[in-house]
Amino acid sequence: MLITSEVDPNIWVEVLKDSISPEGDRLISFHVHYPRVILSEVNTHCVITKNSSSSRAVPVNNFLETIESNPYIPTFIGKNKSGMQADEEISVSEKKQAVKLIKNHLKATCKLVRKLSDKAGLNIHKQIANRYTEPFQYMNTILSGTEWTNFFNLRNHPDAEPHFHELAKCIQHAYNTSKPESLSPGDWHLPFIDTERDSEGNLKYGLINDNIFSELSLEDAKKISASCCAQISYRKGDTSLEKAEMIWNKLINNEPAHSSPLQHSGTPIDYNLLRNDEKKTFDIIGITHMDRKYNLWSAQFKGWIMLRKEYEHLQEINK
């Protein structure tokens, strides 16, 4: 499901996976596309897990081609006033002047970045040169979480930054119109992985190409899902097992491990496995804490075991 902003078609939201546990805890993952200028505000929502495209990972020429063909130009340009929120937009003629100045800045920026990164000249690495393109970039981010009420209350609101308001509006619309799949303990919520049930109701994992479902083992499905979440850094879309194995070994099996791509996958907590004693919350690998309302959590997921925490806890046990 793809939801696009009516104000800026470059702001869009895609539901990657939507799941609900037997207890009614809903875990949903989105691929969102939005102006990079609001990334810091997106990152303030700590209860939502994230992986984002990286200026350090994309070749300079790729970014230059992108921002020259499709730069971020503000859709709302407000008149200056005190406070954080501009209420009134400048006039149409003033907006034309502002956009012209911004595009002149874009041309100067591209010229600067080409000089910085020129292999026959300074040959400066992309992790520096690309930084100067960031004001004109659109961002790709994967968001996953079980708790969205505060996000919607704060960001789908007239007081929010206008472009963030548009993004949050799209996310909430996608959230409200998407239908979650019911999963049981042992069934896994895996972004980028397709699922179907067999004749006995067991969940099968795979990839659909040309309307053909190619089944995967659960372990391979986990690796491919994590691989695709990691690839958001440089905007590739390789769903092959070979690519997944390479990324898994490079990031997850490395020391120290870079485990953030595993924080979008989860399985419902099996409450039947809890013992009736004081240590009951820690019988299940991956549970991290209980809140004041006695809800069980795995890092940012309420009612779900996060793959990252399950993996990290198993690593601790093995050591």
Side-chain angles (χ1 to χ4, degrees):
M1 175 191 297
L2 188 69
I3 304 296
T4 303
S5 166
E6 296 178 357
V7 175
D8 182 353
N10 289 299
I11 297 176
W12 51 260
V13 173
E14 179 184 12
V15 177
L16 296 175
K17 188 65 67 174
D18 189 359
S19 309
I20 193 165
S21 73
E23 286 71 33
D25 292 310
R26 184 179 179 186
L27 172 58
I28 189 166
S29 298
F30 299 102
H31 178 185
V32 299
H33 190 260
Y34 57 95
R36 190 185 181 100
V37 294
I38 63 170
L39 173 62
S40 61
E41 296 179 60
V42 173
N43 285 340
T44 62
H45 295 272
C46 300
V47 78
I48 299 170
T49 64
K50 313 166 194 74
N51 276 94
S52 297
S53 51
S54 170
S55 294
R56 298 175 62 205
V58 179
V60 172
N61 287 337
N62 290 22
F63 262 135
L64 289 174
E65 289 174 7
T66 300
I67 67 171
E68 285 179 322
S69 62
N70 189 31
Y72 161 66
I73 304 292
T75 55
F76 178 89
I77 302 180
K79 184 175 291 187
N80 190 26
K81 56 165 287 190
S82 61
M84 294 177 60
Q85 182 72 22
D87 300 322
E88 180 184 358
E89 191 165 21
I90 59 178
S91 67
V92 174
S93 61
E94 289 172 331
K95 188 171 183 178
K96 287 181 179 179
Q97 294 179 50
V99 169
K100 183 177 180 180
L101 289 171
I102 292 170
K103 288 183 175 180
N104 287 338
H105 182 196
L106 169 63
K107 291 178 182 178
T109 296
C110 292
K111 184 177 180 180
L112 164 69
V113 172
R114 284 193 170 93
K115 284 188 175 182
L116 290 175
S117 60
D118 185 3
K119 291 183 178 180
L122 293 172
N123 196 25
I124 291 176
H125 193 275
K126 59 182 178 288
Q127 72 176 354
I128 297 174
N130 276 339
R131 298 301 189 192
Y132 297 97
T133 68
E134 290 182 355
F136 302 100
Q137 292 178 19
Y138 281 94
M139 195 78 179
N140 285 284
T141 297
I142 296 174
L143 305 174
S144 298
T146 59
E147 310 306 302
W148 293 91
T149 301
N150 185 61
F151 178 89
F152 294 145
N153 287 342
L154 290 175
R155 303 304 180 176
N156 190 6
H157 190 281
D159 288 345
E161 195 279 340
H163 303 87
F164 202 168
H165 187 193
E166 277 301 306
L167 175 64
K169 191 187 303 182
C170 291
I171 294 175
Q172 186 160 16
H173 181 53
Y175 184 94
N176 291 340
T177 54
S178 177
K179 184 178 179 181
E181 180 181 16
S182 296
L183 297 187
S184 300
D187 294 337
W188 281 84
H189 169 104
L190 299 173
F192 297 102
I193 300 297
D194 300 306
T195 55
E196 62 178 32
R197 295 202 179 263
D198 63 18
S199 58
E200 298 180 351
N202 299 312
L203 193 66
K204 299 297 181 182
Y205 309 91
L207 297 171
I208 296 177
N209 292 303
D210 298 326
N211 296 320
I212 298 174
F213 182 84
S214 300
E215 188 174 346
L216 295 163
S217 70
L218 175 56
E219 291 308 307
D220 286 346
K222 288 178 180 178
K223 289 181 178 180
I224 291 174
S225 176
S227 167
C228 291
C229 290
Q231 289 178 66
I232 201 70
S233 289
Y234 46 95
R235 294 186 291 195
K236 300 290 182 183
D238 191 337
T239 59
S240 69
L241 183 57
E242 293 76 14
K243 184 72 170 181
E245 292 280 6
M246 185 194 75
I247 290 178
W248 189 273
N249 290 327
K250 184 177 180 180
L251 298 181
I252 312 306
N253 288 338
N254 207 345
E255 185 62 41
H258 296 266
S259 306
S260 64
L262 280 66
Q263 63 192 13
H264 304 279
S265 301
T267 186
I269 292 174
D270 188 352
Y271 289 89
N272 293 321
L273 297 179
L274 298 176
R275 296 183 317 198
N276 187 24
D277 63 23
E278 294 178 354
K279 298 181 180 179
K280 62 182 179 179
T281 54
F282 299 100
D283 282 338
I284 303 174
I285 298 296
I287 290 179
T288 57
H289 62 286
M290 175 187 286
D291 65 24
R292 293 169 63 187
K293 295 182 179 179
Y294 303 103
N295 296 306
L296 298 181
W297 293 70
S298 180
Q300 293 99 319
F301 291 176
K302 178 168 73 73
W304 291 75
I305 298 294
M306 181 187 288
L307 178 58
R308 176 175 185 170
K309 289 303 169 185
E310 181 186 72
Y311 176 82
E312 290 175 349
H313 287 181
L314 287 172
Q315 290 292 94
E316 290 175 7
I317 291 172
N318 290 335
K319 288 180 180 179

